[in-house]
Amino acid sequence: MKVTVSRKAYFNAAHRLYIKQWSDEKNLNIFGKCSNPNFHGHNYEIIVHVKGKVDELTGMVIDLKYLKQIIKHEIEDLLDHKNLNLEIKYFKEVVPTAENICIFIWNTLRKKIDKNKHLSVTLFETPRNFVKYSGN
Ligand code: NI
């Protein structure tokens, strides 16, 4: 029997969505307010879902203490109160959209979670706008 275990976490971060080669006007047309040259912040919320077999002995899919710990160390400690464009190496080359932040989080956590468990990450940029990545 497979069950999905989920854990929520939060971080605040600033970003700017823009393509270097484009004018401010074109960036504004494509990215809207998120292209503000002076940056702006979001209260991001993530939900990490781990699906796998319930261990017969422990009754657990994954130790939630461990899941909590890796989300804190690998994601919150790295991204919370940061300017994603300026302070996170990955986003020097990659536009920090919700999509790309979600992929980044998934790739980071994937390395820390048992390969026989399925991982997906949901990232809320606002209460109404959210994305989900499950690999591929
Ligand atoms: Ni934004």
Side-chain angles (χ1 to χ4, degrees), residues 68-110:
K68 174 184 172 181
Q69 210 174 58
I70 58 170
I71 294 169
K72 168 137 188 14
H73 292 157
E74 304 292 323
I75 306 302
E76 292 172 65
D77 288 354
L78 180 69
L79 302 181
D80 192 35
H81 286 75
K82 297 289 173 62
N83 180 312
L84 300 179
N85 301 75
L86 301 181
E87 295 178 273
I88 307 300
K89 199 175 159 211
Y90 182 84
F91 295 112
K92 291 199 187 290
E93 306 298 328
V94 174
V95 189
T97 56
E99 292 89 327
N100 283 333
I101 298 168
C102 194
I103 291 168
F104 174 79
I105 292 170
W106 188 93
N107 283 332
T108 305
L109 293 178
R110 182 68 280 186

Side-chain angles (χ1 to χ4, degrees), residues 15-20 22-36 40 95-97 99-100 125:
H15 75 166
R16 180 193 178 198
L17 304 184
Y18 73 110
I19 307 290
K20 264 181 250 167
W22 294 356
S23 66
D24 282 356
E25 194 190 5
K26 184 167 182 188
N27 277 306
L28 183 64
N29 282 336
I30 301 298
F31 294 116
K33 286 193 289 189
C34 277
S35 78
N36 173 12
H40 63 279
V95 189
T97 56
E99 292 89 327
N100 283 333
E125 191 168 76

Side-chain angles (χ1 to χ4, degrees), residues 3-20:
V3 173
T4 303
V5 172
S6 303
R7 165 102 188 154
K8 277 190 187 181
Y10 306 90
F11 62 93
N12 305 316
H15 75 166
R16 180 193 178 198
L17 304 184
Y18 73 110
I19 307 290
K20 264 181 250 167

Side-chain angles (χ1 to χ4, degrees), residues 44-78:
Y44 291 98
E45 177 177 334
I46 63 173
I47 309 176
V48 177
H49 312 271
V50 179
K51 184 179 179 183
K53 279 194 185 141
V54 178
D55 184 274
E56 282 179 21
L57 186 62
T58 64
M60 300 192 294
V61 172
I62 185 169
D63 183 347
L64 267 164
K65 290 193 302 299
Y66 175 72
L67 188 59
K68 174 184 172 181
Q69 210 174 58
I70 58 170
I71 294 169
K72 168 137 188 14
H73 292 157
E74 304 292 323
I75 306 302
E76 292 172 65
D77 288 354
L78 180 69

